[in-house]
């Protein structure tokens, strides 16, 4: 069967980014994934080459392909540079952040974790409307921030989460909120979710609600009571890293940013400049992000093969990088993974 080539933007990123991107490309090539890459620069590399963490050519490429895989980006300190990740979300209306957390390496403090966090990406307190009020000569006497959640934005995100739950066979979705205190800001999200469930999704899965602080406690006491968590921007940012900790940390955490105009897949950890070039980086998070990307472009068989090869490499071959208790470098892990994919 001939698979149609799929244009996609590739952003290697900063620090360990190029190393884990090369490992991911090797795995995708072994799978014969049909991506045709347009390689672009962003982050610190973008500043160094064009004075902008998100050069016009990079944005134009994503507008053209509507699909991107990216390594971690470093936001330069000072100079007024905003986070490249936030700018990408705004530029392409990437309203949904999908963060699965699945135990791959067993035997940790928490085992057999299979959770998904769906985070609203564009609204809430992260819209960045902040200012100071000077008093008595103190220019920073009062700090103020405005959070905005909209009915439309809440519904769009909740509908994506509910549709994903149905499509992937999730049994329960939990809306995480703080409507007992922030009655308007998170109340509109809760209210919209309950209404949407009653009108369109009732009976297709169980719906539950929980207050954010109680949710955090329950996640570390008994995470198995949850299946999918859907929540607002700030809470989702915190909870998605918390659930990553349940499965071994950010090195095992892929992310997908799904929007109206594009989809961008990434490893959610940082650029780790302290180990860049040492050949010891763990590429698993970006490999799992590539699997999400394969799912997105309707190539689930290839996604399944990639996930199984990662699992087999880690658990049958016992080839693991240092952060997972092993001694393999990036190249050794990649070679073992490619061998699993090709059956060599």
């Amino acid at each position: 069967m001939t698979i149609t080539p799929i244009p996609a933007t590739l952003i290697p990123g900063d620090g360990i980014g190029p190393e884990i991107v090369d490992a991911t490309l090797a795995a995708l090539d072994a799978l014969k994934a049909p991506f045709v890459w347009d390689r672009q620069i962003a982050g610190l590399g973008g500043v160094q080459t064009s004075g902008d963490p998100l050069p016009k050519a990079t944005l134009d490429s994503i507008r053209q392909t509507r699909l991107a895989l990216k390594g971690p980006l470093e936001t330069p300190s000072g100079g007024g540079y905003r986070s490249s990740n936030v700018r990408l979300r705004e530029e392409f209306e990437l309203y949904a952040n999908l963060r699965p957390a699945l135990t791959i390496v067993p035997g940790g403090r928490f085992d057999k974790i299979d959770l998904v966090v769906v985070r609203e990406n564009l609204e809430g307190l992260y819209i960045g409307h902040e200012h100071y009020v000077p008093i008595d000569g103190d220019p920073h006497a009062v700090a103020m921030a405005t959070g905005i959640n909209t009915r439309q934005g809440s519904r769009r995100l909740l509908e994506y989460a509910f549709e994903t739950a149905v499509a992937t066979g999730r049994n329960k979705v939990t809306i995480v909120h703080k409507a007992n205190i922030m009655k308007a800001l998170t109340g509109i999200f809760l209210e919209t979710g309950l209404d949407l469930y009653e009108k369109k999704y009732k009976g297709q899965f169980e719906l539950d609600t929980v207050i954010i602080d109680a949710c955090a406690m329950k996640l570390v006491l008994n995470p198995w009571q949850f299946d999918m968590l859907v929540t607002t921007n700030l809470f989702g940012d915190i909870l998605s890293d918390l659930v990553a900790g349940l499965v071994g940390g950010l090195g095992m955490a892929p992310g997908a940013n799904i929007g109206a105009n594009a989809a961008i897949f990434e490893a959610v950890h940082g650029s780790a400049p302290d180990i860049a070039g040492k050949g010891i980086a763990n590429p698993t998070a970006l490999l799992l992000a590539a699997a999400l990307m394969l799912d997105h472009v309707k190539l689930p068989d290839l996604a399944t093969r990639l996930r199984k090869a990662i699992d087999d490499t880690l658990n049958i071959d016992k080839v693991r990088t240092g952060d997972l208790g092993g001694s393999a470098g990036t190249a050794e892990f990649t070679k073992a993974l490619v061998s699993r994919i090709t059956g060599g």
Side-chain angles (χ1 to χ4, degrees), residues 106-342:
R109 185 177 302 175
F110 298 94
D111 215 351
K112 297 181 180 178
I113 299 294
D114 184 0
L115 279 171
V116 176
V117 176
V118 183
R119 164 193 174 189
E120 201 288 320
N121 238 359
L122 298 176
E123 298 189 340
L125 287 163
Y126 278 26
I127 59 173
H129 289 178
E130 296 184 296
H131 67 277
Y132 291 106
V133 178
I135 299 175
D136 295 334
D138 180 356
H140 290 177
V142 178
M144 298 181 68
T146 300
I148 295 176
N149 285 327
T150 66
R151 178 84 68 194
Q152 180 185 16
S154 297
R155 183 182 293 114
R156 180 167 63 172
L157 183 277
L158 286 155
E159 192 152 26
Y160 171 80
F162 291 174
E163 288 290 336
T164 301
V166 172
T168 56
R170 294 280 161 178
N171 296 313
K172 183 170 79 168
V173 177
T174 302
I175 299 174
V176 186
H177 65 92
K178 190 66 177 175
N180 58 324
I181 303 297
M182 293 189 285
K183 297 181 187 298
L185 187 63
T186 70
I188 192 174
F189 187 84
L190 174 61
E191 174 188 298
T192 302
L194 294 173
D195 181 66
L196 182 65
Y197 179 74
E198 285 295 321
K199 290 180 177 177
K200 190 174 178 182
Y201 295 95
K202 191 168 186 177
Q204 297 184 62
F205 52 82
E206 178 188 349
L207 185 70
D208 192 16
T209 68
V210 66
I211 295 170
I212 175 64
D213 38 316
C215 181
M217 178 189 67
K218 291 179 178 183
L219 275 168
V220 296
L221 287 175
N222 176 20
W224 303 277
Q225 67 188 285
F226 297 111
D227 195 2
M228 173 184 281
L229 302 170
V230 57
T231 190
T232 52
N233 204 338
L234 174 60
F235 301 157
D237 189 11
I238 296 166
L239 290 182
S240 57
D241 276 17
L242 192 159
V243 301
L246 302 177
V247 298
L250 294 180
M252 306 298 287
N257 296 283
I258 309 297
N261 302 310
I264 300 179
F265 300 83
E266 63 185 351
V268 299
H269 56 68
S271 59
D274 55 319
I275 63 168
K278 295 183 179 179
I280 60 175
N282 178 5
T284 302
L286 192 65
L287 286 159
L288 292 170
L292 291 174
M293 189 172 176
L294 289 165
D295 284 331
H296 179 75
V297 297
K298 305 294 191 290
L299 294 172
D301 291 347
L302 293 185
T304 298
R305 283 180 59 198
L306 178 54
R307 291 186 179 105
K308 185 178 188 307
I310 293 168
D311 194 308
D312 289 349
T313 302
L314 291 170
N315 295 311
I316 296 177
D317 303 331
K318 304 291 186 183
V319 179
R320 301 176 181 176
T321 49
D323 59 312
L324 298 178
S327 59
T330 312
E332 183 184 346
F333 177 82
T334 304
K335 182 179 179 181
L337 177 65
V338 167
S339 181
R340 272 286 168 184
I341 292 170
T342 59

Side-chain angles (χ1 to χ4, degrees), residues 68-130:
L69 179 70
K70 75 174 192 66
L73 302 179
E74 183 178 340
T75 300
S77 300
Y81 294 112
R82 293 181 66 222
S83 163
S84 296
N85 290 329
V86 172
R87 283 180 61 195
L88 282 170
R89 290 168 193 159
E90 293 173 350
E91 185 74 30
F92 298 104
E93 292 186 59
L94 305 175
Y95 60 87
N97 180 228
L98 184 70
R99 289 281 296 272
L102 178 70
T103 299
I104 299 177
V105 178
R109 185 177 302 175
F110 298 94
D111 215 351
K112 297 181 180 178
I113 299 294
D114 184 0
L115 279 171
V116 176
V117 176
V118 183
R119 164 193 174 189
E120 201 288 320
N121 238 359
L122 298 176
E123 298 189 340
L125 287 163
Y126 278 26
I127 59 173
H129 289 178
E130 296 184 296

Side-chain angles (χ1 to χ4, degrees), residues 43-80:
L44 189 59
V47 172
Q48 293 168 344
T49 59
S50 63
D52 189 342
L54 281 178
K56 181 178 182 298
T58 302
L59 296 176
D60 288 345
S61 175
I62 299 172
R63 285 191 194 97
Q64 183 70 31
T65 64
R66 299 168 64 95
L67 186 67
L69 179 70
K70 75 174 192 66
L73 302 179
E74 183 178 340
T75 300
S77 300

